[in-house]
Amino acid sequence: MGSLILIILVIIPGVRSADWGVTFKSQCALKGTSVVIKCTYDYPVGHFVTSVSWSKAQRESDRWSLVPLSNLPSPPNHFRYVGNYWRDCSLQVNDVQHSDDGFYFFKFVTTLNRWTSKSYAHLSVRELTAVGQPSTVTEGGNVSLTCVSGCLTPVDVVWFRDGQRVLNPVFQARKEDAGRYYCAVLGQETIRSAAVALNVQYAPENVTLSVTPSGDVVKGDSVTLTCSSDARPPVAQSGYRLYKDGHFIGLGQNHTIADIQHSQGGLYSCQAWNNISWRGIDFINSTEVHLDVRYHPVNISISMNPLRVLEGSSVTLSCSSDSNPAADNYTWYKRTASPNSTLQVGSGQVLSIPSVDASHTGLYLCRARNALGENNSTEVLLATTEEEHGGQPLAVIAGISVALLVTLVFALLLLWRKHRTHAEKQVTTSNQTVSDFGLSGRGSSSSATEEQSDNVYVNIHTLPSCPPPATDTTPLSQRISHHEHDAPASNEDEVTYSTVSIKPRNPRLPHSINNSRARQDSWSKTGVNDDSVIYTTVAKSS
């Protein structure tokens, strides 16, 4: 009977012959997962396990204490005993959190004794960590994503960007790839890492220039030009440049024109730069924006055709103006005799008068108008002139006048030339006579060559009181010489006045001729100061 009882005790679970003891296996768990802490225990034969429990070591002040898991603040079923009452003492921890990290102890009670483990099970709580290399990349650069679990046991992971699945953790970055990335356990996607940001830098795109207000711009309005772009990093203020018709205006994202004028209209564009080049280009251009400044008519002027208006002829007055939009109405006025009073005489851009008479003369002006306002031109005088020389054109009359003037000048030149030639002949004859007279009277024997080189021409006019000269074929020089030597002296001389024209004295003439000229100069002292006229007194015998 005793042997039978011993066999039954051996067969009954929990009845063992080993010593007291508990064996653990430490675990590493990812935050959010469920983990089972492996545990086995032994006890002597003859003991029956009546209760089991787990405790966690807690540090209070400077000492450690064991706190039953049932006393820890945790959600229901967070800790669950999955062992039994004869050997297995495993513990399952659901939705592991960092607060679950620590040291765990197992305790069991038998019918005869109780036991608390001398060793412990260590639960390490880790998280998935997402790493992007590099975290900042220029568009076109390579990116590699790595997920680190922290536990030695490898896990299969998948990648997400802003909730969207990423198929390949290694890729070439585009600007669309910028965002927040995280990794998760395959099949347990709720267990995931903290998100990391991938910053993809790129040159400015979609550079645009906008005008405020966006409607019609009227002269005098305030206008703001704003340049914007899509860029990473964003374009700084100094990275924007504004241009008008290809010419640089200034830096900055905004440019305000307080009192815009029509001359400031044109094609505007801007450039953006953020220190990143795109295909070797630093500054990215916007599309051109035409700034259309509207204004009332200005610079109104009148042109008249023809400029010289004859009575009875036609004349056309044309009015032009600078405006935006173009002037759609032109009105013509004529100044009347009343002060500051005008009379409307027509409409349209052109005023035509088919036959001008005296009633049409006066001051004319035109008024141009568009949707924004109106303005007057300066006044233009319309005056008529009469036909000249039977209606011949002015050019023909001028040509005839020039021809007559040339003919007159040519005739005067011929007359002057003829008179000069005649005077030179007379002077030559007179000088020859005087020369002969001077040389014969002094008895000089100069050569013929010397006489020809110093001729003195003289014209002797006999006064009416003198008797007519006797007819004598003897040369004048011989008669004068004979008269000087043979005639007897007389106290009463007959006076004859003569005019003598002489040439300038030649310094190269012989001394004898110069002496003769000297005598003539001494005679001239009694006459007038004219160098070309010499009055002489000639004494003749009775």
Side-chain angles (χ1 to χ4, degrees):
M1 187 65 180
S3 299
L4 181 60
I5 295 173
L6 180 61
I7 293 172
I8 294 173
L9 292 175
V10 172
I11 295 174
I12 295 174
V15 178
R16 303 180 62 84
S17 59
D19 293 331
W20 299 94
V22 178
T23 304
F24 299 101
K25 183 179 181 181
S26 296
Q27 296 291 331
C28 178
L30 295 176
K31 178 184 176 183
T33 63
S34 296
V35 65
V36 175
I37 301 176
K38 299 296 183 178
C39 173
T40 59
Y41 62 99
D42 290 318
Y43 48 87
V45 176
H47 290 260
F48 296 94
V49 176
T50 59
S51 66
V52 295
S53 63
W54 282 84
S55 300
K56 183 182 179 185
Q58 294 278 20
R59 187 178 182 85
E60 297 178 357
S61 298
D62 56 347
R63 54 189 290 273
W64 289 86
S65 62
L66 295 179
V67 179
L69 298 183
S70 58
N71 294 339
L72 294 177
S74 59
N77 297 321
H78 183 67
F79 298 104
R80 179 167 174 264
Y81 182 74
V82 293
N84 51 42
Y85 283 82
W86 56 88
R87 178 173 176 79
D88 189 0
C89 55
S90 298
L91 175 69
Q92 180 178 344
V93 183
N94 297 317
D95 190 18
V96 175
Q97 301 298 316
H98 286 293
S99 59
D100 297 327
D101 192 301
F103 304 97
Y104 291 83
F105 293 83
F106 178 69
K107 178 181 179 181
F108 63 95
V109 178
T110 67
T111 55
L112 301 176
N113 202 350
R114 62 180 61 206
W115 181 263
T116 300
S117 62
K118 304 300 182 181
S119 60
Y120 54 83
H122 182 213
L123 176 61
S124 299
V125 180
R126 298 289 183 265
E127 288 188 52
L128 291 177
T129 303
V131 179
Q133 292 292 335
S135 59
T136 299
V137 62
T138 303
E139 186 175 19
N142 294 324
V143 176
S144 178
L145 300 175
T146 304
C147 188
V148 179
S149 68
C151 295
L152 297 179
T153 303
V155 293
D156 294 329
V157 297
V158 290
W159 284 92
F160 294 87
R161 176 181 60 83
D162 298 331
Q164 301 296 321
R165 179 78 178 267
V166 177
L167 298 179
N168 191 351
V170 178
F171 55 90
Q172 194 172 49
R174 303 168 302 167
K175 70 171 186 175
E176 296 84 2
D177 295 327
R180 299 183 64 82
Y181 288 78
Y182 63 86
C183 59
V185 176
L186 180 62
Q188 302 180 64
E189 282 75 11
T190 56
I191 304 171
R192 65 185 194 180
S193 68
V196 293
L198 176 62
N199 184 20
V200 181
Q201 296 184 340
Y202 52 93
E205 297 180 352
N206 302 323
V207 181
T208 58
L209 181 64
S210 59
V211 180
T212 305
S214 58
D216 292 338
V217 177
V218 180
K219 176 183 175 183
D221 287 350
S222 178
V223 176
T224 300
L225 301 169
T226 302
C227 191
S228 60
S229 65
D230 175 20
R232 185 73 59 194
V235 178
Q237 285 291 328
S238 59
Y240 287 104
R241 296 183 177 186
L242 183 65
Y243 292 86
K244 176 184 178 293
D245 296 329
H247 300 287
F248 175 73
I249 298 297
L251 297 174
Q253 188 173 9
N254 299 304
H255 185 79
T256 300
I257 305 175
D259 182 16
I260 193 167
Q261 302 298 311
H262 68 274
S263 60
Q264 293 173 300
L267 291 176
Y268 286 81
S269 64
C270 68
Q271 290 181 340
W273 180 54
N274 65 344
N275 296 321
I276 297 178
S277 299
W278 179 78
R279 297 182 181 178
I281 301 175
D282 291 334
F283 290 92
I284 309 301
N285 295 324
S286 71
T287 55
E288 290 184 327
V289 174
H290 181 234
L291 183 59
D292 188 23
V293 181
R294 299 163 63 87
Y295 54 96
H296 65 274
V298 295
N299 301 327
I300 305 173
S301 62
I302 298 176
S303 61
M304 184 168 60
N305 185 30
L307 296 177
R308 182 175 177 269
V309 182
L310 300 177
E311 289 191 9
S313 64
S314 64
V315 66
T316 300
L317 302 177
S318 299
C319 187
S320 61
S321 66
D322 178 17
S323 62
N324 184 22
D328 53 10
N329 183 278
Y330 290 90
T331 307
W332 291 90
Y333 297 90
K334 180 185 176 185
R335 182 72 65 185
T336 63
S338 302
N340 300 324
S341 178
T342 57
L343 176 66
Q344 181 177 344
V345 294
S347 62
Q349 195 167 1
V350 177
L351 176 66
S352 297
I353 303 176
S355 180
V356 179
D357 56 29
S359 64
H360 294 122
T361 60
L363 295 173
Y364 288 78
L365 62 88
C366 75
R367 178 175 299 164
R369 182 173 68 243
N370 66 2
L372 299 177
E374 61 184 18
N375 212 345
N376 293 337
S377 70
T378 56
E379 296 178 340
V380 172
L381 176 63
L382 174 61
T384 60
T385 59
E386 296 181 354
E387 292 185 349
E388 299 179 2
H389 301 286
Q392 292 183 359
L394 182 61
V396 176
I397 298 174
I400 295 174
S401 300
V402 172
L404 291 176
L405 179 60
V406 171
T407 303
L408 179 60
V409 172
F410 185 70
L412 291 175
L413 288 175
L414 289 178
L415 182 62
W416 175 79
R417 187 180 185 89
K418 183 177 180 181
H419 178 72
R420 179 180 177 185
T421 303
H422 178 70
E424 288 179 352
K425 289 181 179 180
Q426 289 181 349
V427 172
T428 302
T429 304
S430 300
N431 288 345
Q432 181 65 36
T433 303
V434 173
S435 176
D436 293 343
F437 175 78
L439 293 176
S440 299
R442 300 295 291 179
S444 41
S445 59
S446 302
S447 63
T449 303
E450 293 174 347
E451 292 175 356
Q452 293 176 359
S453 63
D454 191 28
N455 293 330
V456 178
Y457 303 93
V458 60
N459 294 326
I460 301 177
H461 304 280
T462 305
L463 295 176
S465 61
C466 297
T471 303
D472 191 357
T473 59
T474 306
L476 177 61
S477 61
Q478 294 179 6
R479 283 185 282 134
I480 294 174
S481 176
H482 177 75
H483 180 79
E484 287 179 352
H485 292 285
D486 297 339
S490 177
N491 296 328
E492 184 177 357
D493 297 332
E494 183 179 352
V495 179
T496 300
Y497 296 93
S498 65
T499 301
V500 179
S501 300
I502 64 172
K503 294 181 178 179
R505 182 170 59 186
N506 190 344
R508 292 178 298 176
L509 294 177
H511 180 69
S512 60
I513 297 178
N514 289 336
N515 290 336
S516 176
R517 294 287 177 86
R519 288 195 299 271
Q520 293 177 5
D521 293 341
S522 64
W523 296 342
S524 66
K525 294 179 181 179
T526 62
V528 296
N529 293 331
D530 191 348
D531 293 340
S532 64
V533 180
I534 300 176
Y535 296 92
T536 63
T537 303
V538 179
K540 298 178 65 178
S541 60
S542 56

